[in-house]
C-alpha cells in the first residue's frame, strides 16, 4: 500500500471514529419522543390540524391571516395574542422532507431522528471537504472535530421541527465550496453547481441567508478584481437569494407580533433593538459555550457587554500573533472564514438566542480556533513560554478545553436534557388521558399553564386531533384565583409578575405592544378584562364566562411540573392559589 492510500485510509478511519463519537453524544436525542412543534407538524401532515394545510410545503406555516381566527377560537392562541400575530416560515424543502417522514413512519419518532442524524453526517462531510481545500491537513482535521461535536447540532437532531437547520447548512456549505471554486477557476460548471446548491439551501430554511456573510467576507478579502468581474462572480449566490426573498415576500411569509421573533423586514425597529443583546449572547456561546454557564437571558446588558469586550481583548493579540505567521493565502482564507462567521450571525438575530442558531457561524469559528491551536500546539519553531507566546498558549488551552471537553460534554448534556423534557411531557400527557379521558373532547381550561401548554392539545390524540376547545388563562408562576360569582373569576399574580411571559419567552406578543389596564378581549365563551397593570404588564384580569364555571362540559386543570392536575375552583367569595 502506497503512502497516499495509507493516508486516505487513516483519514476515513478518523472520520468514522468522529461519527461514532457523534452518535454517542447525540444518542439521548435519538431516543426522544415528539416534542413541542413536532406534534403540530404531525397533525398538519395527518390532516387533523384545525386550519387546513394544503400539501407537503406548509408544515412551517403555524399562524397566518387566514387561520388566526380559527386558532384563537380553539384556544391554541391565548387571549393576550397580538391581533396580527404571524408565524410562518418559507422552508419548502424541509417541510416536504418532514411531511414524507410523517407519512412513511406514522407515530414512530426514531426513524425521523435517524434521518436528522444523516443530515448531520452530510453537514460534517461538507464542512470537512471545505476545510481540506482551504486549510492545512492537520488544521482541517482539528476544525472538523470542533465543528462536528459542537452543541449547536443537538437541537436540529433532537427536535424534528428544527431539522431545517441541518438541511439548509449541509447544502449551504457544499454551495460555498463550489462558489469558491468558481471564484478561483471561473468554470461555468462550478457556477451552476453553486447556484443550484445555494437554491436548495434556501429552500431548506432561512439559515442559508447566513452564508451571505462568507460570500461577502471572501469578496472583501480578495483584492484586485474589476467591479464587473466581481459582480459576475457574486451571481451564483445573489440570484438564488434574491429569488428566495422575492418569493418569500410575495407569499407573505415571515414572523411579526411575537416577542420570540423579530423579523428584520417586518419589524425592523424591534430587530435593531434586540440585535446587540442577542449578538453578545451568541458570540459568548460560539467562542466559549458561556450561555447558561456564566449568564442567562436575564443577565444585565452591561454584563454581556463586559464579557464581549473582555473576551475580544483577550483573543485579539493571540490571533493577531498567529495570523502574522501564516503565509498570505492561509491568512486570507482564515481571515475570510473568521469574518464570515461573525457576519453570518446577523440573520439569526431575528430569533431568541440559542445554541441551535450557531451552525453557520461555527463553520468559520471552528476554522479560526483550529489555526490557533495548530500554531500553539505544533509550532514550527519552539519559543520560550513568556510574553506573547505564553498568552497564546493559555488562550489555546482555554479554547481547547472549551471545544474538545466542554463543548462535547455540553452537547451530551443538552441531548439528555432534551430527551428527559420530551419524555416527561409525553408521560404527563399519557397520565392525563388515563385519568381524565374526557379531555380529548371537552372544553379544557388551564388556570395557569407552562410553555408547552399550547401544544398539549395535539398530543392528546394519536392522530393529532386537538381537544374541542383549549383555554390557557395565564402563563406564569404563582397565581391567585378569586371567585366572584357563578360565572366570574379573577386571576392575580404578585406585583413584580405578569399574567403572561415577557420578552423572548412570549411567543404570542412583543413587549413593544403592551396591554393597558381596562383592555377587554372577547374569547369564545368568555370576556377578559385587564384590571391592573404592574411594572411588567397585566397582573390582574377578570374572566366572565357565558355559562357556569363548573359546567359538566368544562374541565379545569393546573399545569404543574409533575403533570396536569385537577384545579377545583374556590367557592363564591373565596380565593385559591395555584402553583407550578
Amino acid at each position: 500500500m502506497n503512502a497516499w492510500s495509507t493516508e486516505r485510509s487513516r483519514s476515513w478511519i478518523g472520520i468514522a471514529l468522529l461519527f461514532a463519537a457523534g452518535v454517542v453524544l447525540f444518542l439521548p436525542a435519538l431516543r426522544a419522543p415528539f416534542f413541542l412543534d413536532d406534534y403540530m407538524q404531525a397533525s398538519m401532515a395527518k390532516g387533523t390540524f384545525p386550519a387546513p394545510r394544503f400539501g407537503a410545503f406548509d408544515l412551517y406555516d403555524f399562524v397566518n391571516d387566514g387561520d388566526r381566527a380559527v386558532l384563537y377560537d380553539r384556544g391554541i392562541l391565548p387571549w393576550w395574542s397580538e391581533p396580527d400575530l404571524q408565524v410562518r416560515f418559507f422552508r419548502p424543502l424541509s417541510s416536504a422532507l418532514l411531511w414524507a417522514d410523517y407519512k412513511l413512519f406514522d407515530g414512530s419518532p426514531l426513524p425521523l431522528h435517524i434521518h436528522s442524524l444523516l443530515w448531520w453526517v452530510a453537514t460534517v462531510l461538507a464542512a470537512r471537504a471545505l476545510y481540506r481545500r482551504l486549510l492545512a491537513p492537520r488544521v482541517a482535521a482539528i476544525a472538523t472535530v470542533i465543528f462536528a461535536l459542537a452543541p449547536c447540532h443537538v437541537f436540529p437532531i433532537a427536535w424534528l421541527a428544527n431539522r431545517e437547520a441541518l438541511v439548509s447548512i449541509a447544502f449551504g456549505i457544499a454551495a460555498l465550496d463550489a462558489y469558491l471554486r468558481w471564484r478561483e477557476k471561473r468554470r461555468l460548471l462550478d457556477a451552476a453547481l453553486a447556484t443550484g446548491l445555494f437554491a436548495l439551501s434556501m429552500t431548506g430554511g432561512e439559515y442559508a441567508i447566513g452564508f451571505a456573510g462568507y460570500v461577502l467576507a471572501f469578496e472583501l478579502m480578495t483584492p484586485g478584481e474589476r467591479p464587473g468581474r466581481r459582480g459576475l462572480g457574486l451571481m451564483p449566490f445573489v440570484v438564488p437569494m434574491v429569488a428566495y426573498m422575492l418569493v418569500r415576500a410575495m407569499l407573505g411569509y415571515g414572523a411579526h407580533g411575537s416577542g420570540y421573533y423579530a423579523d428584520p423586514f417586518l419589524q425592523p425597529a424591534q430587530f435593531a433593538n434586540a440585535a446587540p443583546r442577542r449578538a453578545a449572547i451568541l458570540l459568548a456561546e460560539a467562542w466559549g459555550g458561556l450561555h447558561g454557564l456564566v449568564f442567562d437571558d436575564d443577565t444585565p446588558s452591561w454584563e454581556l457587554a463586559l464579557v464581549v469586550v473582555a473576551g475580544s481583548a483577550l483573543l485579539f493579540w493571540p490571533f493577531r500573533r498567529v495570523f502574522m505567521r501564516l503565509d498570505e493565502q492561509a491568512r486570507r482564507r482564515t481571515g475570510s472564514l473568521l469574518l464570515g462567521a461573525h457576519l453570518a450571525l446577523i440573520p439569526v438575530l431575528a430569533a431568541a438566542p440559542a445554541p441551535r442558531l450557531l451552525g453557520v457561524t461555527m463553520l468559520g469559528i471552528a476554522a479560526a480556533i483550529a489555526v490557533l491551536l495548530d500554531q500553539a500546539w505544533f509550532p514550527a519553531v519552539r519559543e520560550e513560554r513568556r510574553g506573547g507566546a505564553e498568552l497564546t498558549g493559555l488562550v489555546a488551552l482555554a479554547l481547547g478545553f472549551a471545544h474538545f471537553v466542554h463543548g462535547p460534554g455540553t452537547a451530551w448534556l443538552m441531548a439528555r436534557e432534551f430527551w428527559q423534557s420530551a419524555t416527561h411531557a409525553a408521560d404527563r400527557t399519557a397520565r392525563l388521558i388515563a385519568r381524565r379521558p374526557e379531555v380529548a373532547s371537552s372544553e379544557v381550561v388551564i388556570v395557569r399553564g407552562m410553555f408547552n401548554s399550547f401544544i398539549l392539545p395535539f398530543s392528546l390524540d394519536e392522530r393529532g386531533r386537538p381537544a374541542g376547545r383549549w383555554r390557557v388563562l395565564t402563563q406564569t408562576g404563582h397565581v391567585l384565583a378569586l371567585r366572584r360569582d357563578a360565572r366570574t373569576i379573577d386571576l392575580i399574580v404578585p406585583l413584580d409578575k405578569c399574567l403572561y411571559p415577557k420578552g423572548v419567552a412570549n411567543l404570542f406578543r412583543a413587549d413593544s405592544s403592551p396591554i393597558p389596564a381596562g383592555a377587554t378581549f372577547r374569547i369564545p365563551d368568555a370576556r377578559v378584562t385587564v384590571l391592573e397593570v404592574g411594572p411588567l404588564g397585566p397582573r390582574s384580569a377578570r374572566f366572565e364566562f357565558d355559562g357556569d364555571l363548573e359546567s359538566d362540559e368544562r374541565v379545569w386543570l393546573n399545569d404543574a411540573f409533575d403533570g396536569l392536575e385537577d384545579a377545583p375552583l374556590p367557592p363564591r367569595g373565596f380565593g385559591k392559589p395555584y402553583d407550578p
Side-chain angles (χ1 to χ4, degrees), residues 266-338:
L266 301 179
Q267 294 177 299
Q270 183 178 335
F271 177 84
N273 183 62
R277 179 179 179 84
R278 293 180 174 185
I281 292 174
L282 290 176
L283 283 171
E285 171 63 35
W287 281 99
L290 299 181
H291 186 202
L293 182 66
V294 175
F295 52 78
D296 55 29
D297 295 337
D298 296 324
T299 302
S301 297
W302 69 266
E303 289 187 21
L304 294 176
L306 182 62
V307 169
V308 172
V309 171
S312 300
L314 185 64
L315 293 173
F316 176 77
W317 290 109
F319 271 99
R320 182 180 183 278
R321 188 170 181 275
V322 166
F323 271 48
M324 291 300 100
R325 296 186 171 191
L326 301 175
D327 61 56
E328 182 179 352
Q329 183 184 64
R331 188 184 308 131
R332 185 174 65 250
R333 289 177 171 178
T334 307
S336 298
L337 288 169
L338 184 58

Side-chain angles (χ1 to χ4, degrees), residues 119-162:
W119 280 104
W120 169 75
V121 170
T123 301
V124 173
L125 289 176
R128 176 177 179 268
L130 179 68
Y131 290 147
R132 286 168 66 88
R133 201 172 68 80
L134 295 179
L135 307 172
R138 186 169 57 216
V139 177
I142 296 172
T144 301
V145 173
I146 293 173
F147 177 79
L149 304 183
C152 63
H153 302 305
V154 173
F155 261 63
I157 294 173
W159 189 21
L160 300 172
N162 192 214

Side-chain angles (χ1 to χ4, degrees), residues 93-376:
L93 176 58
S94 296
S95 176
L97 291 171
L98 275 175
W99 182 88
D101 280 351
Y102 284 121
K103 292 293 185 180
L104 290 172
F105 307 107
D106 183 22
S108 179
L110 179 59
L112 279 70
H113 286 305
I114 293 174
H115 184 178
S116 298
L117 183 70
L118 292 177
W119 280 104
W120 169 75
V121 170
T123 301
V124 173
L125 289 176
R128 176 177 179 268
L130 179 68
Y131 290 147
R132 286 168 66 88
R133 201 172 68 80
L134 295 179
L135 307 172
R138 186 169 57 216
V139 177
I142 296 172
T144 301
V145 173
I146 293 173
F147 177 79
L149 304 183
C152 63
H153 302 305
V154 173
F155 261 63
I157 294 173
W159 189 21
L160 300 172
N162 192 214
R163 182 199 292 163
E164 90 281 351
L166 292 171
V167 175
S168 182
I169 294 170
F171 282 120
I173 297 175
L176 181 63
D177 197 0
Y179 175 82
L180 294 177
R181 292 197 303 270
W182 149 247
R183 297 296 280 116
E184 292 174 4
K185 301 179 180 179
R186 294 290 178 167
R187 295 184 305 199
L188 291 179
L189 180 61
D190 290 328
L193 181 60
T195 303
L197 289 172
F198 274 130
L200 287 171
S201 177
M202 290 170 191
T203 58
E206 298 84 351
Y207 288 82
I209 305 302
F211 286 97
Y214 292 102
V215 171
L216 179 60
F218 275 98
E219 291 297 331
L220 292 174
M221 301 289 281
T222 305
E225 281 194 338
R226 297 188 303 274
R229 182 177 175 84
R230 191 180 294 277
L232 180 63
L234 286 168
M235 288 301 103
F237 179 81
V238 171
V239 169
M241 184 187 73
V242 170
Y244 172 81
M245 297 303 294
L246 285 175
V247 173
R248 178 180 181 269
M250 290 171 59
L251 296 178
Y253 283 91
H256 62 75
S258 171
Y260 189 90
Y261 298 106
D263 192 304
F265 299 102
L266 301 179
Q267 294 177 299
Q270 183 178 335
F271 177 84
N273 183 62
R277 179 179 179 84
R278 293 180 174 185
I281 292 174
L282 290 176
L283 283 171
E285 171 63 35
W287 281 99
L290 299 181
H291 186 202
L293 182 66
V294 175
F295 52 78
D296 55 29
D297 295 337
D298 296 324
T299 302
S301 297
W302 69 266
E303 289 187 21
L304 294 176
L306 182 62
V307 169
V308 172
V309 171
S312 300
L314 185 64
L315 293 173
F316 176 77
W317 290 109
F319 271 99
R320 182 180 183 278
R321 188 170 181 275
V322 166
F323 271 48
M324 291 300 100
R325 296 186 171 191
L326 301 175
D327 61 56
E328 182 179 352
Q329 183 184 64
R331 188 184 308 131
R332 185 174 65 250
R333 289 177 171 178
T334 307
S336 298
L337 288 169
L338 184 58
L339 175 60
H342 292 82
L343 294 176
L345 277 178
I346 297 174
V348 299
L349 300 180
R356 65 187 180 87
L357 302 176
L358 289 170
V360 180
T361 287
M362 283 306 302
L363 178 70
I365 288 182
I369 292 174
V371 170
L372 179 68
L373 297 184
D374 181 70
Q375 290 285 324

Side-chain angles (χ1 to χ4, degrees), residues 60-64 85-89 254-256 258 261 507:
Y60 287 95
D61 188 352
F62 297 108
V63 184
N64 61 56
L85 175 69
Q86 174 175 295
V87 182
R88 57 196 312 250
F89 305 105
H256 62 75
S258 171
Y261 298 106
L507 177 64

